[in-house]
Amino acid sequence: MESQEMTKQYLDLILKENQRSAHELNTVDVDILIQDVKKAKRIFFMGTGRSGLALRMAAMRLMHIGLEVFIVGDTLTPAILEGDLLLVASGSGTTSSVINAVEKAISQKAKVTGLTASPESQLAQLAHHILFIPAATKTDFGMSASEQYAGSLFEQSVLLVFETVFMVLWKESGLTKEDLWPKHANLE
């Protein structure tokens, strides 16, 4: 198979898997996530690896609409407190650093929402709200959930969920693209 044919084939596969995952999402759970974000005093994001990178992009977008957001582990991140929201992503729902952050947030009376591909996981049992992402975890080497490597579909889906959250909040805010622009990074 020629390179261009493979490129098109895999791009189509990735798009098809993301579309399937998006259609299988429980939109009620996405709406609950949106309401939790609206109610939160401050929003903290926690994930490792590529899930953490997807959450960093989500944090940036929410910052653009004026929300107070922090990345767990950054040196300037304050203590989480009651009234705050911790948003975590772990495909397996067992990542130890994520679970530790969830337990700490709960002990501080913060609300926790988790995104996971494992609805029976420790994360699913601990979090106040779970958004199940229909995708493979990084240790799922079968082909039924995704043909992509490791947790790629999960990580892509996390990004798409938060882009959706952002779009809803942005459109409800009435802010224009020009209104958001001053919050865009200018020390690049």
Side-chain angles (χ1 to χ4, degrees), residues 22 44 73 77-78 98 104 107 113 132 157-158:
F44 293 73
T77 299
V98 171
K104 182 62 169 184
S107 76
T113 296
F132 172 66
S157 296
V158 167

Side-chain angles (χ1 to χ4, degrees), residues 16 26 35 37 48 62 83 87 92-93 96 106 113-114 125-126 130-131 146 164 168 170:
K16 183 166 53 163
N26 183 337
Q35 295 309 312
V37 167
T48 63
L62 295 186
L87 298 172
S92 68
S96 60
I106 291 170
T113 296
Q125 294 170 24
L126 290 171
I130 283 293
L131 178 57
S146 177
T164 303
V168 169
W170 174 38

Side-chain angles (χ1 to χ4, degrees), residues 60-73:
M60 180 186 286
R61 283 291 180 246
L62 295 186
M63 177 274 298
H64 284 152
I65 57 173
L67 300 179
E68 192 171 2
V69 298
F70 300 97
I71 304 294
V72 174

